Amino acid sequence: MSKYVLYARKSSESEDRQVKSLDAQETEMLAIAQREGLNIVEIIRESHSAKTTNQRPEFNRMMKGIKAGTYTCILTWAPDRISRNAGDLGLVIDLMDAGKLECVKTYSQTFYNDPYSKFMFLMLGSQAKLENDQRSLNVKRGNREKLKRGEWLNLAPIGYINDRANKKISVDPIQSPYVIQMFKLYS
């Protein structure tokens, strides 16, 4: 019988947008496991970006478990939960080629140890890498443009507020008197 590891990952870089992501992934995948009678040996949860090779401790532990035969299949929400970099993608494919990993099952499809499935898995993982790389370029371009216009890039410093309507920072009428008093006392 196949031994599945359920792997749920969220990027630690955007905590505010993904607070419930791990729970949601786990709930959805456990429902699939129950419906399809999958043997879940362990659940591994990780809050770490997958854009850099060999940087995720829980992913690395999962790979060691596959090599050791503790798990023979991965159950995860989507291919991009496994990897957004070529090194980790290659490691998963190498484990399939070695006969250690039977499949990677996601919410919408299963990637088996056959040429077409491995190709599709690599393509989807490569697409996730491309999206990451493009997002980085787009953010940098946007930041350069904001700086040219004199806009503030981040949260306003203490004593100021972000004026979202005008895309500027403005003096905070509540905090600014305290900041002024603080500087006067210091001097």
Side-chain angles (χ1 to χ4, degrees):
M1 182 178 220
S2 298
K3 298 178 280 185
Y4 281 83
V5 57
L6 192 161
Y7 181 72
R9 182 189 67 80
K10 71 177 182 79
S11 175
S12 60
E13 296 166 0
S14 50
E15 294 286 337
D16 55 328
R17 292 186 306 176
Q18 297 185 15
V19 171
K20 303 268 189 219
S21 179
L22 291 174
D23 292 338
Q25 288 176 52
E26 189 175 317
T27 300
E28 293 280 346
M29 300 320 293
L30 284 173
I32 289 172
Q34 184 177 16
R35 184 176 65 239
E36 297 185 18
L38 305 178
N39 176 28
I40 303 291
V41 176
E42 185 175 358
I43 297 171
I44 295 179
R45 295 167 60 116
E46 187 156 52
S47 297
H48 205 292
S49 172
K51 67 183 175 186
T52 307
T53 303
N54 202 26
Q55 296 296 311
R56 295 176 287 155
E58 292 301 307
F59 175 82
N60 293 337
R61 184 170 70 83
M62 179 175 66
M63 294 296 102
K64 286 178 185 169
I66 292 167
K67 288 175 186 173
T70 307
Y71 327 114
T72 58
C73 299
I74 300 172
L75 178 63
T76 193
W77 176 251
D80 69 356
R81 300 298 84 201
I82 297 294
S83 182
R84 289 179 173 268
N85 70 73
D88 291 344
L89 278 171
L91 179 58
V92 172
I93 297 303
D94 285 348
L95 289 169
M96 284 182 158
D97 287 343
K100 301 275 186 178
L101 182 60
E102 295 171 17
C103 72
V104 175
K105 184 169 191 55
T106 69
Y107 180 78
S108 60
Q109 61 198 120
T110 303
F111 304 94
Y112 295 101
N113 186 8
D114 64 67
Y116 179 76
S117 290
K118 290 187 286 189
F119 174 74
M120 289 306 299
F121 183 76
L122 281 169
M123 291 302 296
L124 291 169
S126 297
Q127 179 182 358
K129 177 169 179 27
L130 175 64
E131 289 168 2
N132 253 10
D133 292 350
Q134 286 178 326
R135 186 176 301 120
S136 175
L137 290 175
N138 290 339
V139 167
K140 288 175 186 174
R141 183 192 67 232
N143 285 345
R144 283 192 304 270
E145 189 59 32
K146 284 180 179 181
L147 289 172
K148 282 181 191 174
R149 293 190 306 252
E151 295 177 14
W152 192 260
L153 295 179
N154 299 313
L155 291 175
I158 189 165
Y160 296 88
I161 56 173
N162 288 90
D163 181 357
R164 299 204 190 288
N166 297 317
K167 297 184 180 179
K168 302 276 182 189
I169 61 167
S170 304
V171 174
D172 183 338
I174 297 170
Q175 285 187 348
S176 64
Y178 297 109
V179 174
I180 292 168
Q181 184 178 8
M182 178 181 68
F183 277 101
K184 284 180 180 177
L185 286 172
Y186 180 76
S187 65

